[in-house]
Amino acid sequence: MNSNDTLARLAAVIASRRGGDPDKSYVARLFAKGPDAILKKVGEEATEVVAKDGDRARLAAAVADLWFHSMIALAQYGLAPADVLAELERREGQSGLEEFALRKSNQRDQEGG
């Protein structure tokens, strides 16, 4: 078993809770509140990651919460962990600075400037 299996199992659980009873499932409750509430929760969890101040155990727990809520956001938009992994694989071997410059250039092109 590997981490991809863990992510796939978690994604399946998240998918199974979508449309469930919001009174019985935290995930169902988030889905019922809609995309803005889900994305806001991702932001809150990201803020908690920043606040862990070097405590390794707290950092790991906070990142787990961030990943969990990010996976709910992915599911909201019909995406899966495999989509994120594919994007990371696409970027593999590319300089982060080059990738960032390319994104900025593409953004300027899309904005017509």
Side-chain angles (χ1 to χ4, degrees):
M1 195 168 314
N2 64 36
S3 57
N4 289 346
D5 295 334
T6 301
L7 292 175
R9 284 193 314 276
L10 181 54
V13 169
I14 289 169
S16 75
R17 305 264 167 89
R18 189 174 193 161
D21 184 348
D23 292 330
K24 295 182 180 178
S25 167
Y26 172 74
V27 172
R29 187 176 309 149
L30 276 178
F31 279 125
K33 289 181 179 180
D36 288 343
I38 293 168
L39 295 174
K40 180 180 177 187
K41 190 63 182 171
V42 171
E44 290 171 8
E45 297 300 338
T47 300
E48 288 187 24
V49 169
V50 173
K52 293 312 171 205
D53 219 12
D55 183 320
R56 293 169 49 97
R58 289 179 59 204
L59 179 62
V63 170
D65 289 343
L66 176 59
W67 286 15
F68 175 74
H69 288 89
S70 294
M71 288 180 64
I72 295 171
L74 289 172
Q76 174 67 37
Y77 293 98
L79 296 166
D83 296 305
V84 176
L85 294 173
E87 176 61 16
L88 289 171
E89 288 169 6
R90 184 191 68 75
R91 296 179 186 186
E92 191 172 2
Q94 184 177 19
S95 159
L97 295 175
E98 290 171 3
E99 198 276 334
F100 179 73
L102 180 60
R103 274 191 286 148
K104 291 292 273 185
S105 174
N106 288 341
Q107 182 180 3
R108 278 193 302 272
D109 290 347
Q110 290 175 356
E111 293 172 353

